[in-house]
Amino acid sequence: MSDMKPNEAPEGDENGEEKDWAAAKAFFENLKTNKPRPPKPRYAVTIAVSSRTLFNMVAERKIYEEDGMEKYVAYQVEHENEPLKPGAAFPFVKALMTVNARLRELYPDSEELFDIVLMTNNHAQVGVRLINSINHYDLTIERFCMTGGQSPIGYLKAYMTNLYLSKDSEKVTEAIEEGIAAATMFMPETEIKLSDTQLRVAFDGDAVLFSDESEIIVKQHGLDTFFEHEREFENKPLAQGPLKCFLEALGKLQRKFYAKNERMNCPIRTFLVTARSAASSGARVLKTLRSWGLEIDEALFLAGAPKGPLLEKIKPHIFFDDQMFHIEGAKELGTIAAHVPYGIGQKYHRGKLIEQPAKDK
Amino acid sequence: MVSTVRNPEAKQKDAQRALVVALTCQELFHLGGAEVSSSEPYAPGVAFPLLQAMQVVNERLLELNPEETLLFDVVLLAADCQQHQDRIIATTRHYGLDVSRFCFCSRDEFTHLLLRERTHLFLCTDARQVATASHTGVAAALLQPAPSRPTQQLRVLFCTDPADRPGTSQQVCQVAGLLGAMRSRLGVACGALSIILLTVQGGRESCGRALLTLRSWGLGVDEAYCLAGAPGGPALSLLAPHILFPDGSALQA
C-alpha cells in the first residue's frame, strides 16, 4: 500500500521529465526573491492538503451549501483580498516547513524534502483567494491542482502523493482504496500551543499503521480471544496498514538528521498511541515495526484508557486514528485529529455494529 | 482558385458576433488513401470530438437564449482538395455536423483565406501551421488528439510557460474575451465548457499572475494546475484538453 516512490522515471519519459525539471530549477534560481525552490517530486515526500484543511472555510462552505455554486464563487471573488483564517492542517504545514528549513541547512543540494501541494476541488476563481492567502502566510506551496469539480484522485496518483488530507471523507476513502495514505481532518474544539521547532506526528496502531486483522478479532470474538491470538502470533508481523508508508517516509528523513549527529535535536518525532496493552498485546506491535525496519520514537500503550488526555500532553501536529470514537475524544481536548476510514472499525460505532442496508448480490 | 460553399443544412451564424473557428478538412475527416470515385462518407478524423464538443456548447447557449449570436461558427478549410469537394460536403451532412461553410483553395492561399474569413481561431495538430497562422495575425492553437476517456465537455487549455517563439498576444486576447463571454453566459455550474490553466515550469506566482491576466481579458478560468517543475506529461494526459494554447509569454505580462 502506498509504496515509496520509484527512483527512475518511466521508460521514454525521462527526457520530458528532466527538461521540465531543469527549466523550473533555472526559473526559480533566476527569481529575485530568496524563495526556496520546490523539490523534485520523485525524491520528495509529497503531502497534498485540501483548501478546507489548510484554511478555515466553514462560513464559505455554508454559502456553497445554502446558496449554490454561483453565489459561493462570487462571494469568494468579492473577498479575495481578505486572507482566510488557518485551518486544521495549517500547524502541520508550518511544521513541515520547519523541517524543510533544517534539512536545507544540513543538505543544501538534496531533493529529499517535504513537498506541500494544494489539492482542491475548488474553482480556479476561488483559487485567487487561496493564492493570496498562501502569500499572506508566506507558506511554501508552489504546486497546486484546482480541479473545478473533477476528482483529484488521478492527480494524487500522477504526482506520487505520500499523504492526502481532506475534509471530504468520500475522497479520502477513494484515495485509500487507490493505495494512497489519506485521512479526514477535524478541527479541534480548543486550541493547544504546539511546538514550532519540531514536527510531532501520532499514529494509532491497528488499522492505521497495521492492517485491521487483529481488530476484526476483537470485534467478532471479543478481547480474550484477541489477547490469546496476539500472544500466539507474537512473532508473526502484522500486515501493513494505510499509513505505514508515511511513517516510513518520516523515518527516512529522521535518519538524515541522525547521520549528521542531530538525533537529540531531531525536528521530527513520532508517537504510537494504541489501545493495546504493553503486557499482553503490545509485543507483537513492536516486533512488527522492528521487522519492517521502522522506528517509532515513543510507543504508548493505553490498555483501553481514553486517548484524549494523553494526546493533550503529547501535543502532536496531527493524530491519525481509524475510529471516530477516538477522534472525537482527541478533538474535545484540543488535539488535531485525522480519521483514517479503513477497516472493520468503520462498520462499528462505539462498539456496536452499524446496521448496513441490505446490498443486492 | 478559392471557392466558398455555404452548408445549406447548417444554420448560418452571424459572423460579426460569433466566434469563428477554422478547422482543416484533413483533420476533421480521414481523407487519405480514399478512392475519388467512392461515395461513402469519410471516417471521422482527429478534430471530430472537438467539433462535437463545440456543437454541445452551441446547443447549451441556444437553450439559455434562442436568439444567442455568440456561438461557435465553424469554417472548414480544404487546401488542395478540390476533387473531394462533393464528398466532403456529403460527409458533413451525413454526420449532421454544424459546419457553416467550406473553403476550397490551394495550399498557398491558405493563410490568406484564414484572414478573409475573419477567423478568430485556427485549430490544427501541426505546430508549424499554428505558428505560421499566429505570425500572420490569426490566433491559433493546437488541436489535441482524442483523449483516452471521451468527454462531452469542451476543454480549452492555456499554458503559461513561454514557448520558444512568442506569438501575437492581441489575437489571443480577443479570442480569450469571446470565450470568456461564452463561458459567463453558460454560468459557473455549467459543464459544457471548461477553461484550464497549466503552469509547468513556474510556481504559484506565475500561475496567479496568469489567472489575473486572463481575467483582465474577460476570461474566467475554471481549473488551474501549477506544477513548478513536476513532470508535465502526466498532467497533460489527465487534463485531456481539446484545444491547447501553447504560448504563455503574454500571460506573464
Side-chain angles (χ1 to χ4, degrees), chain A residues 56-326:
Chain A
N56 183 337
M57 292 172 79
V58 172
E60 287 81 2
R61 179 76 182 176
K62 200 154 172 268
I63 297 173
Y64 171 71
E65 281 165 1
E66 290 174 7
D67 302 326
M69 172 82 133
E70 293 261 6
K71 291 240 161 63
Y72 164 74
V73 174
Y75 177 89
Q76 293 280 35
V77 172
E78 207 184 302
H79 294 262
E80 71 190 15
N81 290 314
E82 293 166 30
L84 292 157
K85 296 266 182 326
F90 194 91
F92 179 59
V93 167
K94 292 290 283 184
L96 296 175
M97 286 167 59
T98 304
V99 176
N100 273 359
R102 291 280 306 274
L103 281 167
R104 284 194 167 100
E105 270 169 34
L106 293 172
Y107 298 91
D109 298 316
S110 175
E111 304 293 335
E112 290 172 338
L113 297 161
F114 285 115
D115 183 20
I116 309 158
V117 174
L118 176 65
M119 185 68 69
T120 175
N121 246 29
N122 251 309
H123 196 267
Q125 291 310 305
V126 176
V128 178
R129 190 178 187 192
L130 293 172
I131 293 173
N132 287 344
S133 303
I134 292 171
N135 288 343
H136 174 82
Y137 296 105
D138 207 11
L139 301 176
T140 44
I141 300 178
E142 293 296 335
R143 297 190 165 119
F144 47 84
C145 291
M146 298 168 181
T147 70
Q150 319 252 349
S151 166
I153 300 299
Y155 304 100
L156 290 173
K157 285 166 77 168
Y159 293 102
M160 297 174 283
T161 306
N162 294 88
L163 177 66
Y164 171 52
L165 300 174
S166 171
K167 282 259 179 185
D168 184 337
S169 55
E170 277 178 36
K171 292 199 188 64
V172 167
T173 305
E174 207 187 330
I176 292 185
E177 282 166 9
E178 294 288 336
I180 300 169
T184 317
M185 290 209 75
F186 290 86
M187 197 73 174
E189 278 147 49
T190 60
E191 216 180 302
I192 298 183
K193 174 103 176 56
L194 301 172
S195 169
D196 53 10
T197 52
Q198 185 183 64
L199 167 69
R200 295 162 76 84
V201 183
F203 299 87
D204 172 34
D206 296 283
V208 172
L209 288 178
F210 314 113
S211 75
D212 65 341
E213 58 192 89
S214 297
E215 221 162 86
I216 292 174
I217 296 174
V218 175
K219 296 278 193 286
Q220 292 177 353
H221 302 289
L223 271 179
D224 290 330
T225 314
F226 166 72
F227 289 139
E228 274 170 37
H229 183 270
E230 292 306 285
R231 238 189 313 260
E232 197 185 328
F233 291 96
E234 193 176 293
N235 293 308
K236 176 166 183 267
L238 291 159
Q240 58 183 6
L243 272 288
K244 179 249 185 183
C245 286
F246 180 58
L247 175 65
E248 196 169 3
L250 290 176
K252 200 167 166 213
L253 291 178
Q254 280 178 308
R255 282 196 292 283
K256 295 187 74 156
F257 288 96
Y258 304 161
K260 296 264 182 177
N261 262 330
E262 293 278 343
R263 190 184 266 268
M264 286 291 111
N265 201 16
C266 183
I268 302 174
R269 196 160 181 85
T270 56
F271 301 82
L272 173 67
V273 179
T274 174
R276 287 182 181 239
S277 81
S280 52
S281 46
R284 192 176 183 197
V285 148
L286 294 174
K287 290 185 178 187
T288 303
L289 286 171
R290 197 188 298 160
S291 78
W292 291 345
L294 295 187
E295 281 185 27
I296 199 139
D297 295 303
E298 287 182 45
L300 300 126
F301 297 96
L302 291 163
K307 297 187 182 183
L310 186 69
L311 287 165
E312 211 189 337
K313 298 274 182 308
I314 293 174
K315 304 184 207 292
H317 292 93
I318 191 166
F319 162 60
F320 296 100
D321 201 302
D322 67 304
Q323 308 213 43
M324 277 310 294
F325 170 68
H326 290 302

Side-chain angles (χ1 to χ4, degrees), chain B residues 128-142:
Chain B
R128 276 169 316 162
Q129 279 199 57
V130 165
T132 309
S134 289
H135 279 273
T136 323
V138 177
L142 287 165

Side-chain angles (χ1 to χ4, degrees), chain B residues 114-230:
Chain B
L114 283 175
L115 289 163
R116 197 193 78 170
E117 292 300 316
R118 296 151 79 135
T119 312
H120 291 113
L121 182 61
F122 169 58
L123 297 174
C124 179
T125 56
D126 184 343
R128 276 169 316 162
Q129 279 199 57
V130 165
T132 309
S134 289
H135 279 273
T136 323
V138 177
L142 287 165
L143 199 151
Q144 296 295 97
S148 46
R149 35 155 209 161
T151 167
Q152 277 261 288
Q153 181 186 68
L154 177 62
R155 295 173 68 71
V156 181
L157 188 142
F158 288 83
C159 208
T160 55
D161 305 286
D164 295 324
R165 281 174 301 166
T168 43
S169 67
Q170 212 203 353
Q171 282 72 26
V172 174
C173 176
Q174 188 186 33
V175 170
L178 290 168
L179 276 172
M182 258 189 201
R183 185 74 194 84
S184 19
R185 281 174 178 45
L186 290 169
V188 169
C190 177
L193 171 61
S194 185
I195 310 292
I196 308 159
L197 179 64
L198 175 65
T199 301
V200 179
Q201 293 156 14
R204 177 174 95 231
E205 203 188 321
S206 296
C207 198
R209 242 186 319 193
L211 276 173
L212 294 174
T213 303
L214 284 169
R215 202 196 256 179
S216 74
W217 292 353
L219 180 56
V221 173
D222 296 292
E223 303 173 39
Y225 302 86
C226 184
L227 303 182

